[in-house]
Amino acid sequence: MSRKKPGRKTVLVYVEGPSDQTALVHAFETMYDSKSIHIEVLYGDLTSKRSVNPQNIVKKLGNKVSVFREKYSLKPEDIENIICILDTDGAYCDERFIQERPGLHNFRYTEDCILANSKEAAADRNRRKAENMNRLAGLRKVTQNRKVIPFEAYFMSCNLDHVLQNKLNLSDAEKENLIGYEAQ
């Protein structure tokens, strides 16, 4: 955060991982005047966590913003807005498109289905993630110390790799290599 200069507001871009930052933050930087706005990135995926539900997701998001603000001694009015980029990860697909593959450690996505170690666990994750994403889709503000910070949520088809490269199931290293290569 050393790039932040006095008088500039901060736009928080909440993404799932480093490859999302590499691929998207430059686009956000071109959308804002760098003399008055500084882009800062938070990582994570609140929508998939078992402890998060539509009743507490806004509070959990607010807590992440508060921790960030405290770390950098920012007041709520120092935040211009919060932008959240989320992968849908197949959360809205019908359960009949989930296929069980015992022994599989991570979800695998195809154009036709989701492969998972447990169909029941995948369906549960999808329901939870979809409900949480629906809650964020309707959210327009996050309140911090009685100050309102505008909020926007955007959803990627399956995930960023699918949107940008039409590829599925990439490792983090493959994502970084493709994004780095594409950006040159």
Side-chain angles (χ1 to χ4, degrees):
M1 176 108 169
S2 60
R3 296 174 294 166
K4 183 167 182 339
K5 296 177 185 168
R8 288 199 309 175
K9 290 206 171 213
T10 298
V11 171
L12 290 179
V13 180
Y14 187 50
V15 297
E16 291 191 13
S19 64
D20 298 328
Q21 177 182 3
T22 303
L24 298 171
V25 170
H26 179 69
F28 286 109
E29 288 173 340
T30 62
M31 292 170 51
Y32 294 97
D33 176 10
S34 63
K35 293 177 184 161
S36 59
I37 297 292
H38 169 72
I39 306 294
E40 202 52 58
V41 178
L42 296 175
Y43 296 110
D45 179 11
L46 287 173
T47 61
S48 294
K49 294 185 186 233
R50 291 187 196 285
S51 62
V52 177
N53 59 55
Q55 291 72 41
N56 70 13
I57 193 166
V58 175
K59 182 177 181 177
K60 300 261 184 187
L61 176 65
N63 291 344
K64 280 191 136 319
V65 172
S66 292
V67 167
F68 173 84
R69 282 192 316 96
E70 288 170 17
K71 182 177 179 180
Y72 296 105
S73 301
L74 295 173
K75 296 179 239 153
E77 51 270 19
D78 294 329
I79 309 290
E80 177 75 12
N81 66 322
I82 302 165
I83 299 170
C84 193
I85 310 294
L86 299 162
D87 294 343
T88 60
D89 292 327
Y92 293 102
C93 84
D94 190 285
E95 284 184 39
R96 64 190 162 135
F97 296 109
I98 301 171
Q99 295 182 11
E100 194 162 306
R101 293 290 192 276
L104 195 61
H105 296 291
N106 296 313
F107 291 111
R108 299 282 301 167
Y109 301 96
T110 74
E111 294 290 331
D112 302 319
C113 68
I114 297 174
L115 305 174
N117 184 30
S118 162
K119 183 173 182 170
E120 184 178 319
D124 178 60
R125 187 280 316 240
N126 283 359
R127 277 189 295 277
R128 183 176 58 254
K129 186 170 179 71
E131 289 172 356
N132 287 331
M133 288 175 41
N134 290 345
R135 176 67 177 104
L136 291 179
L139 187 65
R140 297 292 174 254
K141 64 184 178 182
V142 173
T143 304
Q144 299 265 293
N145 298 346
R146 294 184 277 198
K147 301 284 184 186
V148 172
I149 302 171
F151 176 85
E152 302 168 43
Y154 297 95
F155 303 101
M156 296 291 175
S157 166
C158 189
N159 54 41
L160 183 65
D161 326 317
H162 192 227
V163 171
L164 296 180
Q165 283 97 16
N166 198 28
K167 295 183 186 278
L168 298 169
N169 308 304
L170 297 175
S171 68
D172 287 340
E174 290 170 320
K175 291 176 187 184
E176 285 293 326
N177 286 338
L178 278 171
I179 296 301
Y181 175 75
E182 300 254 42
Q184 294 176 350

